[in-house]
Amino acid sequence: MTESRFTIDDRLPADYFTSTLRADVTDGLTAEPRTLPPKWFYDKRGSDLFEQITRLPEYYPTRAEQEILTRRAPEIAELTRAATLIELGSGSSRKTRLLLDALTAGGTLRRYAPLDVSASALAEAGEAICRDYPGVEVTATVADFEIGLGLSDEPGPRLLAFLGSTIGNLDTDERRDFYRTLARALTSDDQLLLGADLVKDPDVLVRAYDDAAGVTAEFNRNVLHVLNRELAADFDVAAFEHVAVWNAEQEWIEMRLRATRAMRVTIPGVDLTVDFAAGEELRTEVSAKFRQERVAAELADAGFAVDQWWTDAEQRFGVSLARAIPR
């Protein structure tokens, strides 16, 4: 029975989403410039919209990373000999099946340990993986990797996968702290598999975040629907237009929502009133892009050594395999 091989451990406080959303909205909408963290895109509607984005012709990162994993998963399995595959921000675990297939074929995998803030996504993915991989135990954890990993008794060696270039949503200081947290949690027998979108032609980057069909625009505006629903806000969602710009100095894409007219927004859930001027922008996401040297240097600063670096055929996306250096 799959139930005996699947467990889910919810480590988030009962009021986690409400309290965190309130704090993020209060801090972000009273800041200058105004900001909101990208994690609030991802309610059920937002997650469905992002799945549509990954299939758009302009949005290359998912295809490029999958190309790398399709070609390199057997090599990754041979190099790591992982008994446990840990995945951060696993969501539906779709791409991870390439790693699961390779590690299973290699005969080393005993456990898959996904970590995500969505209990429903973990439950759906975990049950499916138990069905499809009869020899693998699934121990899912509901947690926010930005505030703690909670790794415990997984069989080693362990391979920790952080894919999708989610690392780009963290700024430089946040990445440094995050990598150091990983380095403390992993042993010299464990390895980190990191996916990172690469610096490229700004036109290609902007199109990936501002598609012709307008799906990314709807995804961006979805954060306002979340605030309206969860905090009783009265955003006129249609009065905000989607903006995606390349910041060459920081080497990141910024997604913003621009007010098309002056408006006053009330947010009773946090007892806040916000005045937007016509043309004022609210930044909803930063997505940093990387160079190989930058990835290696940031990991080295945290105590990792990069042993392997792979790209897709067009060198749009990079996947690195790194190990923690004993200190």
Side-chain angles (χ1 to χ4, degrees):
M1 296 175 62
T2 61
E3 292 82 359
S4 64
R5 292 187 292 108
F6 176 52
T7 61
I8 186 164
D9 178 15
D10 192 339
R11 299 186 182 181
L12 293 178
D15 66 345
Y16 171 79
F17 286 102
T18 301
S19 62
T20 306
L21 176 61
R22 286 174 176 165
D24 286 346
V25 169
T26 300
D27 293 344
L29 293 188
T30 57
E32 183 60 43
R34 303 189 202 277
T35 63
L36 285 172
K39 62 185 173 185
W40 299 115
F41 290 136
Y42 295 96
D43 63 351
K44 178 62 168 67
R45 179 174 181 268
S47 296
D48 290 344
L49 285 168
F50 184 71
E51 282 297 310
Q52 293 179 43
I53 289 170
T54 64
R55 296 190 289 270
L56 293 170
E58 298 97 331
Y59 194 79
Y60 62 84
T62 300
R63 292 187 299 275
E65 186 177 46
Q66 185 142 348
E67 177 190 323
I68 297 166
L69 293 176
T70 299
R71 190 168 73 248
R72 299 296 183 177
E75 185 179 351
I76 292 166
E78 184 177 351
L79 288 168
T80 63
R81 306 291 296 168
T84 298
L85 174 62
I86 302 166
E87 186 177 16
L88 305 185
S90 58
S92 65
S93 305
R94 184 176 57 183
K95 281 183 291 190
T96 316
R97 286 175 176 260
L98 295 166
L99 297 172
L100 292 169
D101 288 344
L103 289 165
T104 301
T108 64
L109 188 66
R110 295 165 55 193
R111 181 180 294 183
Y112 173 54
L115 184 150
D116 198 272
V117 294
S118 172
S120 60
L122 286 170
E124 183 178 353
E127 290 166 2
I129 286 169
C130 274
R131 286 194 305 269
D132 297 342
Y133 299 86
V136 176
E137 176 185 11
V138 179
T139 57
T141 303
V142 184
D144 186 343
F145 65 79
E146 292 185 34
I147 60 174
L149 292 176
L151 305 185
S152 52
D153 61 345
E154 298 87 3
R158 300 176 296 181
L159 174 62
L160 190 150
F162 192 40
L163 302 173
S165 202
T166 306
I167 192 65
N169 293 144
L170 306 181
D171 65 28
T172 303
D173 291 340
E174 290 169 336
R175 289 197 302 273
R176 182 192 62 235
D177 294 343
F178 175 67
Y179 289 144
R180 289 178 180 176
T181 298
L182 291 183
R184 288 192 296 269
L186 300 179
T187 73
S188 57
D189 293 329
D190 303 328
Q191 296 188 66
L192 168 65
L193 189 71
L194 179 69
D197 195 12
L198 303 181
V199 174
K200 57 184 66 64
D201 183 339
D203 288 341
V204 173
L205 287 165
V206 170
R207 283 197 301 272
Y209 291 83
D210 192 9
D211 61 278
V215 182
T216 310
E218 280 304 301
F219 174 70
N220 194 8
R221 283 190 287 263
N222 190 61
V223 71
L224 302 183
H225 287 294
V226 171
L227 269 55
N228 284 351
R229 182 183 67 243
E230 299 297 330
L231 299 176
D234 60 357
F235 280 96
D236 180 357
V237 177
F240 286 84
E241 61 183 0
H242 168 67
V243 179
V245 296
W246 170 243
N247 184 322
E249 181 181 355
Q250 298 291 342
E251 293 192 325
W252 66 37
I253 283 281
E254 293 184 14
M255 289 212 316
R256 307 171 185 167
L257 291 169
R258 179 184 294 151
T260 58
R261 59 175 174 82
M263 68 189 89
R264 171 166 288 183
V265 177
T266 60
I267 311 174
V270 290
D271 192 24
L272 186 65
T273 299
V274 182
D275 289 314
F276 284 89
E280 184 175 352
E281 295 179 341
L282 165 64
R283 193 179 75 189
T284 53
E285 182 177 65
V286 164
S287 184
K289 306 306 171 185
F290 298 90
R291 302 178 190 271
Q292 181 179 356
E293 298 79 9
R294 182 179 179 185
V295 172
E298 290 186 353
L299 286 171
D301 179 65
F304 284 97
V306 175
D307 291 329
Q308 301 290 334
W309 172 264
W310 302 289
T311 65
D312 62 295
E314 296 180 46
Q315 298 188 341
R316 298 167 296 177
F317 200 95
V319 172
S320 58
L321 184 65
R323 55 188 163 79
I325 303 170
R327 292 188 172 185

